[in-house]
Amino acid sequence: MMETVKITTEFIKLDQLLKFANIAPTGGAAKEMIADGIISVNGEICFLRGKKIRPGDEVTAGFEDETVTLKVE
């Protein structure tokens, strides 16, 4: 599933994006998802919760039963 997320700033940190897009219910959950290696940024697994996500980036969360891709604009 592909979703588009619009941001009004130059960038958003990865953990904040996951909360903003309702992929993670809390900051702690976002941190855990990133540490577990189920989040990739532009096709590469990312373990940095403070990674700057800019318009044009794609963030993918791979769950057991579903994959969600966020296109940042």
Side-chain angles (χ1 to χ4, degrees):
M1 174 171 63
M2 173 79 81
E3 295 181 21
T4 301
V5 177
K6 294 184 183 199
I7 61 172
T8 58
T9 57
E10 180 184 348
F11 66 87
I12 186 170
K13 291 182 180 179
L14 179 57
D15 60 345
Q16 294 171 342
L17 175 68
L18 295 173
K19 289 189 306 183
F20 180 70
N22 294 318
I23 301 299
T26 65
K31 180 179 176 182
E32 217 173 281
M33 291 168 65
I34 295 165
D36 288 346
I38 65 166
I39 305 297
S40 63
V41 177
N42 298 325
E44 294 185 23
I45 294 174
C46 183
F47 294 99
L48 305 171
R49 72 176 203 236
K51 169 104 174 126
K52 293 178 181 177
I53 307 299
R54 293 181 163 79
D57 287 340
E58 286 189 8
V59 176
T60 302
F63 301 104
E64 291 178 11
D65 58 343
E66 182 181 15
T67 299
V68 178
T69 301
L70 304 173
K71 174 76 174 171
V72 180
E73 292 184 353

Short mmCIF file of all heavy atoms in Angstrom, two decimals:
data_model
loop_
_atom_site.label_atom_id
_atom_site.label_comp_id
_atom_site.label_asym_id
_atom_site.label_seq_id
_atom_site.Cartn_x
_atom_site.Cartn_y
_atom_site.Cartn_z
N MET A 1 0.84 -1.16 0.00
CA MET A 1 0.00 0.00 0.00
C MET A 1 0.90 1.24 0.00
O MET A 1 1.84 1.32 0.77
CB MET A 1 -0.90 -0.02 1.24
CG MET A 1 -1.72 1.23 1.39
SD MET A 1 -2.99 1.17 2.67
CE MET A 1 -2.06 0.95 4.15
N MET A 2 0.59 2.20 -0.85
CA MET A 2 1.36 3.44 -0.96
C MET A 2 0.51 4.59 -0.44
O MET A 2 -0.65 4.72 -0.80
CB MET A 2 1.75 3.69 -2.41
CG MET A 2 2.40 5.02 -2.67
SD MET A 2 4.13 5.13 -2.23
CE MET A 2 4.88 4.36 -3.62
N GLU A 3 1.09 5.38 0.45
CA GLU A 3 0.42 6.56 0.97
C GLU A 3 1.32 7.76 0.72
O GLU A 3 2.54 7.65 0.74
CB GLU A 3 0.17 6.43 2.48
CG GLU A 3 -0.78 5.33 2.86
CD GLU A 3 -0.99 5.26 4.37
OE1 GLU A 3 -0.74 6.26 5.06
OE2 GLU A 3 -1.38 4.20 4.83
N THR A 4 0.72 8.92 0.52
CA THR A 4 1.47 10.15 0.35
C THR A 4 1.37 10.98 1.63
O THR A 4 0.29 11.14 2.18
CB THR A 4 0.92 10.97 -0.83
OG1 THR A 4 1.02 10.18 -2.01
CG2 THR A 4 1.71 12.25 -1.03
N VAL A 5 2.51 11.47 2.09
CA VAL A 5 2.56 12.29 3.29
C VAL A 5 3.16 13.63 2.90
O VAL A 5 4.26 13.69 2.34
CB VAL A 5 3.43 11.64 4.39
CG1 VAL A 5 3.52 12.55 5.60
CG2 VAL A 5 2.87 10.28 4.77
N LYS A 6 2.44 14.70 3.15
CA LYS A 6 2.93 16.04 2.82
C LYS A 6 3.51 16.68 4.07
O LYS A 6 2.87 16.70 5.11
CB LYS A 6 1.81 16.90 2.24
CG LYS A 6 1.32 16.38 0.92
CD LYS A 6 0.29 17.27 0.30
CE LYS A 6 -0.17 16.61 -1.00
NZ LYS A 6 -0.80 17.51 -1.89
N ILE A 7 4.73 17.20 3.92
CA ILE A 7 5.33 17.94 5.02
C ILE A 7 5.53 19.38 4.59
O ILE A 7 5.66 19.67 3.40
CB ILE A 7 6.66 17.31 5.48
CG1 ILE A 7 7.71 17.28 4.36
CG2 ILE A 7 6.44 15.91 6.02
CD1 ILE A 7 9.09 16.84 4.81
N THR A 8 5.54 20.29 5.55
CA THR A 8 5.66 21.71 5.23
C THR A 8 7.01 22.26 5.65
O THR A 8 7.23 23.46 5.62
CB THR A 8 4.54 22.52 5.92
OG1 THR A 8 4.62 22.30 7.33
CG2 THR A 8 3.17 22.09 5.40
N THR A 9 7.90 21.38 6.09
CA THR A 9 9.24 21.78 6.50
C THR A 9 10.26 21.19 5.54
O THR A 9 9.92 20.37 4.69
CB THR A 9 9.53 21.29 7.93
OG1 THR A 9 9.35 19.87 7.98
CG2 THR A 9 8.58 21.94 8.93
N GLU A 10 11.52 21.57 5.70
CA GLU A 10 12.58 21.06 4.83
C GLU A 10 12.75 19.55 4.98
O GLU A 10 13.01 18.85 4.01
CB GLU A 10 13.90 21.77 5.16
CG GLU A 10 15.07 21.32 4.33
CD GLU A 10 16.38 21.97 4.75
OE1 GLU A 10 16.37 22.92 5.54
OE2 GLU A 10 17.43 21.49 4.28
N PHE A 11 12.61 19.07 6.21
CA PHE A 11 12.75 17.64 6.48
C PHE A 11 11.96 17.28 7.73
O PHE A 11 11.50 18.16 8.46
CB PHE A 11 14.22 17.24 6.65
CG PHE A 11 14.87 17.84 7.87
CD1 PHE A 11 14.80 17.21 9.10
CD2 PHE A 11 15.57 19.04 7.77
CE1 PHE A 11 15.39 17.77 10.23
CE2 PHE A 11 16.17 19.61 8.88
CZ PHE A 11 16.08 18.97 10.11
N ILE A 12 11.80 15.97 7.95
CA ILE A 12 11.20 15.45 9.18
C ILE A 12 12.04 14.25 9.58
O ILE A 12 12.52 13.50 8.70
CB ILE A 12 9.71 15.08 8.97
CG1 ILE A 12 9.04 14.67 10.27
CG2 ILE A 12 9.56 14.00 7.91
CD1 ILE A 12 7.52 14.52 10.18
N LYS A 13 12.24 14.06 10.87
CA LYS A 13 13.02 12.92 11.31
C LYS A 13 12.19 11.64 11.15
O LYS A 13 10.97 11.66 11.26
CB LYS A 13 13.45 13.10 12.77
CG LYS A 13 14.47 14.21 12.93
CD LYS A 13 14.91 14.33 14.36
CE LYS A 13 15.94 15.44 14.48
NZ LYS A 13 16.38 15.61 15.87
N LEU A 14 12.89 10.55 10.90
CA LEU A 14 12.23 9.27 10.61
C LEU A 14 11.24 8.87 11.70
O LEU A 14 10.10 8.52 11.39
CB LEU A 14 13.28 8.18 10.41
CG LEU A 14 12.76 6.78 10.12
CD1 LEU A 14 11.86 6.77 8.88
CD2 LEU A 14 13.92 5.81 9.95
N ASP A 15 11.64 8.93 12.95
CA ASP A 15 10.72 8.51 14.01
C ASP A 15 9.50 9.42 14.08
O ASP A 15 8.38 8.97 14.31
CB ASP A 15 11.42 8.41 15.37
CG ASP A 15 12.05 9.70 15.85
OD1 ASP A 15 12.21 10.65 15.06
OD2 ASP A 15 12.39 9.77 17.06
N GLN A 16 9.68 10.71 13.83
CA GLN A 16 8.56 11.65 13.83
C GLN A 16 7.61 11.37 12.66
O GLN A 16 6.40 11.48 12.80
CB GLN A 16 9.07 13.08 13.77
CG GLN A 16 9.83 13.50 15.01
CD GLN A 16 10.51 14.85 14.84
OE1 GLN A 16 10.69 15.34 13.74
NE2 GLN A 16 10.88 15.45 15.97
N LEU A 17 8.18 11.01 11.52
CA LEU A 17 7.36 10.69 10.35
C LEU A 17 6.48 9.47 10.63
O LEU A 17 5.30 9.46 10.28
CB LEU A 17 8.23 10.43 9.12
CG LEU A 17 7.48 9.96 7.88
CD1 LEU A 17 6.59 11.07 7.33
CD2 LEU A 17 8.45 9.47 6.82
N LEU A 18 7.04 8.46 11.26
CA LEU A 18 6.27 7.25 11.56
C LEU A 18 5.09 7.56 12.47
O LEU A 18 4.00 7.01 12.29
CB LEU A 18 7.17 6.18 12.17
CG LEU A 18 8.26 5.63 11.24
CD1 LEU A 18 9.18 4.70 12.01
CD2 LEU A 18 7.67 4.95 10.03
N LYS A 19 5.29 8.45 13.43
CA LYS A 19 4.18 8.88 14.31
C LYS A 19 3.19 9.75 13.53
O LYS A 19 1.98 9.55 13.62
CB LYS A 19 4.70 9.65 15.51
CG LYS A 19 5.44 8.80 16.52
CD LYS A 19 5.76 9.55 17.79
CE LYS A 19 6.50 10.83 17.52
NZ LYS A 19 6.91 11.56 18.72
N PHE A 20 3.70 10.71 12.77
CA PHE A 20 2.86 11.64 12.01
C PHE A 20 1.95 10.91 11.03
O PHE A 20 0.79 11.26 10.86
CB PHE A 20 3.77 12.63 11.26
CG PHE A 20 3.04 13.66 10.44
CD1 PHE A 20 2.33 14.67 11.05
CD2 PHE A 20 3.09 13.62 9.06
CE1 PHE A 20 1.65 15.63 10.29
CE2 PHE A 20 2.43 14.56 8.29
CZ PHE A 20 1.71 15.58 8.91
N ALA A 21 2.45 9.85 10.41
CA ALA A 21 1.69 9.09 9.42
C ALA A 21 0.87 7.96 10.04
O ALA A 21 0.27 7.16 9.34
CB ALA A 21 2.63 8.52 8.37
N ASN A 22 0.85 7.88 11.37
CA ASN A 22 0.11 6.85 12.10
C ASN A 22 0.58 5.44 11.79
O ASN A 22 -0.20 4.48 11.85
CB ASN A 22 -1.39 6.98 11.86
CG ASN A 22 -1.95 8.25 12.45
OD1 ASN A 22 -1.59 8.63 13.56
ND2 ASN A 22 -2.82 8.91 11.71
N ILE A 23 1.85 5.29 11.47
CA ILE A 23 2.44 3.96 11.30
C ILE A 23 2.82 3.42 12.68
O ILE A 23 2.69 2.24 12.96
CB ILE A 23 3.69 4.01 10.38
CG1 ILE A 23 3.32 4.55 9.01
CG2 ILE A 23 4.35 2.64 10.28
CD1 ILE A 23 2.31 3.74 8.24
N ALA A 24 3.31 4.32 13.55
CA ALA A 24 3.65 3.96 14.92
C ALA A 24 2.76 4.78 15.86
O ALA A 24 2.61 5.98 15.67
CB ALA A 24 5.11 4.26 15.19
N PRO A 25 2.19 4.14 16.88
CA PRO A 25 1.30 4.87 17.79
C PRO A 25 2.04 5.82 18.74
O PRO A 25 1.47 6.80 19.19
CB PRO A 25 0.59 3.76 18.57
CG PRO A 25 1.51 2.59 18.47
CD PRO A 25 2.23 2.72 17.17
N THR A 26 3.31 5.50 19.05
CA THR A 26 4.08 6.33 19.98
C THR A 26 5.52 6.45 19.50
O THR A 26 5.95 5.69 18.62
CB THR A 26 4.11 5.70 21.40
OG1 THR A 26 4.82 4.45 21.31
CG2 THR A 26 2.72 5.47 21.95
N GLY A 27 6.24 7.37 20.11
CA GLY A 27 7.66 7.51 19.78
C GLY A 27 8.44 6.26 20.15
O GLY A 27 9.36 5.86 19.44
N GLY A 28 8.08 5.65 21.26
CA GLY A 28 8.74 4.42 21.68
C GLY A 28 8.52 3.29 20.68
O GLY A 28 9.43 2.52 20.39
N ALA A 29 7.32 3.20 20.17
CA ALA A 29 7.01 2.17 19.17
C ALA A 29 7.79 2.43 17.88
O ALA A 29 8.31 1.49 17.26
CB ALA A 29 5.52 2.13 18.88
N ALA A 30 7.91 3.70 17.50
CA ALA A 30 8.68 4.05 16.30
C ALA A 30 10.14 3.67 16.48
O ALA A 30 10.76 3.08 15.59
CB ALA A 30 8.55 5.55 16.01
N LYS A 31 10.68 3.96 17.64
CA LYS A 31 12.08 3.62 17.95
C LYS A 31 12.29 2.11 17.86
O LYS A 31 13.28 1.64 17.30
CB LYS A 31 12.41 4.13 19.36
CG LYS A 31 13.82 3.86 19.80
CD LYS A 31 14.05 4.43 21.20
CE LYS A 31 15.42 4.08 21.71
NZ LYS A 31 15.64 4.58 23.07
N GLU A 32 11.35 1.35 18.40
CA GLU A 32 11.43 -0.11 18.37
C GLU A 32 11.37 -0.66 16.94
O GLU A 32 12.13 -1.56 16.57
CB GLU A 32 10.27 -0.69 19.18
CG GLU A 32 10.62 -1.92 19.96
CD GLU A 32 9.47 -2.32 20.87
OE1 GLU A 32 9.31 -1.71 21.95
OE2 GLU A 32 8.74 -3.26 20.48
N MET A 33 10.47 -0.10 16.13
CA MET A 33 10.34 -0.54 14.74
C MET A 33 11.64 -0.31 13.98
O MET A 33 12.08 -1.16 13.22
CB MET A 33 9.19 0.20 14.06
CG MET A 33 7.83 -0.17 14.58
SD MET A 33 6.52 0.96 14.03
CE MET A 33 6.53 0.68 12.29
N ILE A 34 12.25 0.85 14.21
CA ILE A 34 13.50 1.19 13.53
C ILE A 34 14.61 0.25 14.00
O ILE A 34 15.37 -0.29 13.18
CB ILE A 34 13.86 2.67 13.77
CG1 ILE A 34 12.80 3.57 13.11
CG2 ILE A 34 15.25 2.99 13.25
CD1 ILE A 34 12.83 5.02 13.55
N ALA A 35 14.70 0.01 15.31
CA ALA A 35 15.72 -0.87 15.86
C ALA A 35 15.56 -2.31 15.38
O ALA A 35 16.55 -3.04 15.21
CB ALA A 35 15.69 -0.82 17.39
N ASP A 36 14.31 -2.72 15.12
CA ASP A 36 14.03 -4.08 14.66
C ASP A 36 14.37 -4.28 13.18
O ASP A 36 14.31 -5.40 12.67
CB ASP A 36 12.57 -4.45 14.89
CG ASP A 36 12.25 -4.68 16.36
OD1 ASP A 36 13.19 -4.82 17.17
OD2 ASP A 36 11.05 -4.71 16.71
N GLY A 37 14.68 -3.19 12.48
CA GLY A 37 15.08 -3.30 11.08
C GLY A 37 13.94 -3.51 10.10
O GLY A 37 14.15 -4.03 9.02
N ILE A 38 12.73 -3.09 10.47
CA ILE A 38 11.60 -3.28 9.54
C ILE A 38 11.30 -2.01 8.76
O ILE A 38 10.36 -1.98 7.98
CB ILE A 38 10.33 -3.77 10.27
CG1 ILE A 38 9.79 -2.72 11.24
CG2 ILE A 38 10.58 -5.09 10.97
CD1 ILE A 38 8.38 -3.02 11.73
N ILE A 39 12.13 -0.97 8.94
CA ILE A 39 11.93 0.29 8.23
C ILE A 39 13.06 0.50 7.24
O ILE A 39 14.23 0.36 7.58
CB ILE A 39 11.91 1.48 9.22
CG1 ILE A 39 10.86 1.28 10.33
CG2 ILE A 39 11.69 2.80 8.47
CD1 ILE A 39 9.43 1.21 9.83
N SER A 40 12.69 0.81 6.01
CA SER A 40 13.70 1.14 5.01
C SER A 40 13.42 2.51 4.42
O SER A 40 12.27 2.94 4.34
CB SER A 40 13.77 0.08 3.90
OG SER A 40 12.56 0.02 3.19
N VAL A 41 14.50 3.20 4.06
CA VAL A 41 14.41 4.52 3.46
C VAL A 41 15.05 4.42 2.08
O VAL A 41 16.22 4.04 1.96
CB VAL A 41 15.13 5.58 4.32
CG1 VAL A 41 15.09 6.94 3.64
CG2 VAL A 41 14.51 5.66 5.71
N ASN A 42 14.27 4.72 1.06
CA ASN A 42 14.73 4.64 -0.33
C ASN A 42 15.36 3.29 -0.64
O ASN A 42 16.39 3.19 -1.29
CB ASN A 42 15.70 5.79 -0.63
CG ASN A 42 15.03 7.13 -0.49
OD1 ASN A 42 13.86 7.30 -0.81
ND2 ASN A 42 15.76 8.11 0.00
N GLY A 43 14.74 2.22 -0.12
CA GLY A 43 15.16 0.86 -0.44
C GLY A 43 16.25 0.28 0.43
O GLY A 43 16.63 -0.87 0.25
N GLU A 44 16.76 1.02 1.41
CA GLU A 44 17.80 0.52 2.30
C GLU A 44 17.32 0.54 3.75
O GLU A 44 16.77 1.55 4.20
CB GLU A 44 19.07 1.38 2.18
CG GLU A 44 19.72 1.28 0.82
CD GLU A 44 21.03 2.04 0.75
OE1 GLU A 44 21.66 2.27 1.81
OE2 GLU A 44 21.42 2.40 -0.36
N ILE A 45 17.55 -0.56 4.46
CA ILE A 45 17.14 -0.62 5.86
C ILE A 45 17.86 0.48 6.63
O ILE A 45 19.04 0.71 6.46
CB ILE A 45 17.47 -2.01 6.47
CG1 ILE A 45 16.60 -3.08 5.78
CG2 ILE A 45 17.22 -2.02 7.97
CD1 ILE A 45 16.93 -4.49 6.19
N CYS A 46 17.09 1.16 7.48
CA CYS A 46 17.63 2.29 8.24
C CYS A 46 17.46 2.04 9.73
O CYS A 46 16.38 1.70 10.19
CB CYS A 46 16.91 3.58 7.83
SG CYS A 46 17.57 5.03 8.66
N PHE A 47 18.56 2.18 10.48
CA PHE A 47 18.53 2.01 11.93
C PHE A 47 18.67 3.34 12.66
O PHE A 47 18.83 3.36 13.87
CB PHE A 47 19.65 1.05 12.37
CG PHE A 47 19.46 -0.35 11.87
CD1 PHE A 47 20.14 -0.80 10.75
CD2 PHE A 47 18.59 -1.23 12.50
CE1 PHE A 47 19.97 -2.10 10.29
CE2 PHE A 47 18.41 -2.52 12.05
CZ PHE A 47 19.10 -2.96 10.94
N LEU A 48 18.64 4.46 11.93
CA LEU A 48 18.83 5.78 12.52
C LEU A 48 17.48 6.47 12.71
O LEU A 48 16.87 6.92 11.73
CB LEU A 48 19.72 6.64 11.63
CG LEU A 48 21.08 6.06 11.26
CD1 LEU A 48 21.75 6.92 10.21
CD2 LEU A 48 21.94 5.96 12.51
N ARG A 49 17.01 6.56 13.93
CA ARG A 49 15.69 7.16 14.14
C ARG A 49 15.68 8.65 13.84
O ARG A 49 14.64 9.22 13.55
CB ARG A 49 15.17 6.86 15.53
CG ARG A 49 15.85 7.61 16.63
CD ARG A 49 15.16 7.30 17.95
NE ARG A 49 15.41 8.35 18.89
CZ ARG A 49 15.95 8.17 20.08
NH1 ARG A 49 16.27 6.97 20.47
NH2 ARG A 49 16.15 9.19 20.88
N GLY A 50 16.84 9.31 13.88
CA GLY A 50 16.93 10.73 13.58
C GLY A 50 17.24 11.03 12.13
O GLY A 50 17.49 12.18 11.77
N LYS A 51 17.18 10.01 11.27
CA LYS A 51 17.46 10.21 9.84
C LYS A 51 16.52 11.27 9.28
O LYS A 51 15.32 11.24 9.51
CB LYS A 51 17.24 8.89 9.10
CG LYS A 51 17.24 8.99 7.60
CD LYS A 51 18.51 8.48 7.04
CE LYS A 51 18.45 8.44 5.52
NZ LYS A 51 19.54 9.15 4.93
N LYS A 52 17.09 12.22 8.55
CA LYS A 52 16.29 13.29 7.97
C LYS A 52 15.61 12.80 6.69
O LYS A 52 16.26 12.36 5.76
CB LYS A 52 17.17 14.50 7.65
CG LYS A 52 17.72 15.15 8.89
CD LYS A 52 18.63 16.31 8.55
CE LYS A 52 19.18 16.94 9.82
NZ LYS A 52 20.12 18.02 9.52
N ILE A 53 14.30 12.88 6.69
CA ILE A 53 13.50 12.47 5.54
C ILE A 53 13.03 13.74 4.84
O ILE A 53 12.42 14.61 5.46
CB ILE A 53 12.29 11.62 5.99
CG1 ILE A 53 12.74 10.44 6.87
CG2 ILE A 53 11.49 11.15 4.79
CD1 ILE A 53 13.69 9.47 6.20
N ARG A 54 13.32 13.81 3.56
CA ARG A 54 13.00 15.01 2.78
C ARG A 54 11.97 14.65 1.69
O ARG A 54 11.81 13.49 1.34
CB ARG A 54 14.27 15.55 2.13
CG ARG A 54 15.25 16.09 3.15
CD ARG A 54 16.51 16.65 2.48
NE ARG A 54 17.26 17.51 3.37
CZ ARG A 54 18.07 17.10 4.33
NH1 ARG A 54 18.22 15.82 4.53
NH2 ARG A 54 18.71 17.97 5.09
N PRO A 55 11.32 15.69 1.14
CA PRO A 55 10.40 15.42 0.03
C PRO A 55 11.11 14.64 -1.09
O PRO A 55 12.26 14.92 -1.42
CB PRO A 55 10.01 16.83 -0.44
CG PRO A 55 10.11 17.66 0.81
CD PRO A 55 11.31 17.10 1.53
N GLY A 56 10.41 13.64 -1.60
CA GLY A 56 10.97 12.76 -2.62
C GLY A 56 11.43 11.43 -2.07
O GLY A 56 11.61 10.46 -2.82
N ASP A 57 11.63 11.34 -0.76
CA ASP A 57 12.05 10.09 -0.14
C ASP A 57 10.87 9.13 0.00
O ASP A 57 9.71 9.56 0.11
CB ASP A 57 12.64 10.34 1.25
CG ASP A 57 14.02 10.97 1.21
OD1 ASP A 57 14.69 10.89 0.16
OD2 ASP A 57 14.43 11.55 2.24
N GLU A 58 11.18 7.84 0.02
CA GLU A 58 10.17 6.81 0.26
C GLU A 58 10.58 6.02 1.48
O GLU A 58 11.71 5.56 1.58
CB GLU A 58 10.04 5.87 -0.94
CG GLU A 58 9.33 6.50 -2.11
CD GLU A 58 9.00 5.50 -3.21
OE1 GLU A 58 9.19 4.29 -3.01
OE2 GLU A 58 8.56 5.96 -4.26
N VAL A 59 9.65 5.86 2.39
CA VAL A 59 9.88 5.11 3.63
C VAL A 59 8.94 3.91 3.61
O VAL A 59 7.73 4.07 3.42
CB VAL A 59 9.62 5.99 4.87
CG1 VAL A 59 9.76 5.18 6.15
CG2 VAL A 59 10.57 7.18 4.88
N THR A 60 9.50 2.72 3.82
CA THR A 60 8.70 1.50 3.79
C THR A 60 8.76 0.80 5.14
O THR A 60 9.84 0.63 5.70
CB THR A 60 9.20 0.55 2.69
OG1 THR A 60 9.14 1.22 1.44
CG2 THR A 60 8.36 -0.71 2.61
N ALA A 61 7.60 0.42 5.63
CA ALA A 61 7.48 -0.36 6.86
C ALA A 61 6.99 -1.74 6.46
O ALA A 61 5.90 -1.88 5.92
CB ALA A 61 6.52 0.30 7.83
N GLY A 62 7.80 -2.76 6.72
CA GLY A 62 7.45 -4.14 6.35
C GLY A 62 6.97 -4.92 7.54
O GLY A 62 7.76 -5.34 8.38
N PHE A 63 5.66 -5.09 7.64
CA PHE A 63 5.07 -5.86 8.72
C PHE A 63 4.85 -7.29 8.24
O PHE A 63 4.95 -7.58 7.05
CB PHE A 63 3.73 -5.25 9.16
CG PHE A 63 3.85 -3.82 9.63
CD1 PHE A 63 3.44 -2.78 8.82
CD2 PHE A 63 4.40 -3.54 10.87
CE1 PHE A 63 3.55 -1.47 9.25
CE2 PHE A 63 4.52 -2.23 11.30
CZ PHE A 63 4.10 -1.19 10.49
N GLU A 64 4.51 -8.20 9.15
CA GLU A 64 4.29 -9.59 8.80
C GLU A 64 3.19 -9.76 7.75
O GLU A 64 3.32 -10.55 6.83
CB GLU A 64 3.94 -10.41 10.04
CG GLU A 64 5.10 -10.58 10.99
CD GLU A 64 4.70 -11.36 12.22
OE1 GLU A 64 3.61 -11.95 12.25
OE2 GLU A 64 5.49 -11.37 13.17
N ASP A 65 2.10 -8.99 7.89
CA ASP A 65 0.95 -9.19 7.02
C ASP A 65 0.75 -8.07 6.01
O ASP A 65 -0.15 -8.16 5.17
CB ASP A 65 -0.32 -9.34 7.87
CG ASP A 65 -0.56 -8.14 8.78
OD1 ASP A 65 0.39 -7.37 9.00
OD2 ASP A 65 -1.68 -7.99 9.27
N GLU A 66 1.59 -7.02 6.06
CA GLU A 66 1.37 -5.88 5.18
C GLU A 66 2.65 -5.05 5.06
O GLU A 66 3.45 -4.99 5.96
CB GLU A 66 0.24 -5.01 5.74
CG GLU A 66 -0.11 -3.83 4.89
CD GLU A 66 -1.22 -2.98 5.50
OE1 GLU A 66 -1.54 -3.14 6.69
OE2 GLU A 66 -1.77 -2.14 4.78
N THR A 67 2.80 -4.40 3.92
CA THR A 67 3.89 -3.46 3.72
C THR A 67 3.26 -2.10 3.39
O THR A 67 2.38 -2.01 2.55
CB THR A 67 4.80 -3.89 2.55
OG1 THR A 67 5.37 -5.15 2.87
CG2 THR A 67 5.90 -2.90 2.32
N VAL A 68 3.70 -1.07 4.10
CA VAL A 68 3.21 0.28 3.89
C VAL A 68 4.37 1.13 3.40
O VAL A 68 5.43 1.16 4.02
CB VAL A 68 2.62 0.86 5.18
CG1 VAL A 68 2.16 2.30 4.96
CG2 VAL A 68 1.49 0.01 5.70
N THR A 69 4.18 1.83 2.28
CA THR A 69 5.19 2.72 1.76
C THR A 69 4.66 4.14 1.83
O THR A 69 3.55 4.43 1.37
CB THR A 69 5.56 2.36 0.31
OG1 THR A 69 6.05 1.02 0.29
CG2 THR A 69 6.64 3.29 -0.22
N LEU A 70 5.47 5.03 2.39
CA LEU A 70 5.12 6.43 2.49
C LEU A 70 5.95 7.22 1.48
O LEU A 70 7.17 7.12 1.49
CB LEU A 70 5.43 6.97 3.90
CG LEU A 70 4.76 6.26 5.06
CD1 LEU A 70 5.29 6.82 6.37
CD2 LEU A 70 3.25 6.41 4.98
N LYS A 71 5.30 7.95 0.62
CA LYS A 71 5.97 8.85 -0.32
C LYS A 71 5.87 10.24 0.28
O LYS A 71 4.78 10.75 0.47
CB LYS A 71 5.27 8.77 -1.69
CG LYS A 71 5.78 9.76 -2.70
CD LYS A 71 7.10 9.32 -3.26
CE LYS A 71 7.50 10.28 -4.38
NZ LYS A 71 8.83 10.08 -4.84
N VAL A 72 7.01 10.85 0.57
CA VAL A 72 7.03 12.15 1.23
C VAL A 72 7.06 13.24 0.17
O VAL A 72 7.87 13.22 -0.76
CB VAL A 72 8.23 12.27 2.18
CG1 VAL A 72 8.24 13.64 2.86
CG2 VAL A 72 8.19 11.16 3.22
N GLU A 73 6.15 14.20 0.30
CA GLU A 73 6.09 15.34 -0.62
C GLU A 73 6.30 16.62 0.15
O GLU A 73 5.98 16.74 1.30
CB GLU A 73 4.76 15.41 -1.34
CG GLU A 73 4.55 14.28 -2.30
CD GLU A 73 3.25 14.43 -3.07
OE1 GLU A 73 2.45 15.33 -2.78
OE2 GLU A 73 3.05 13.63 -3.98
#
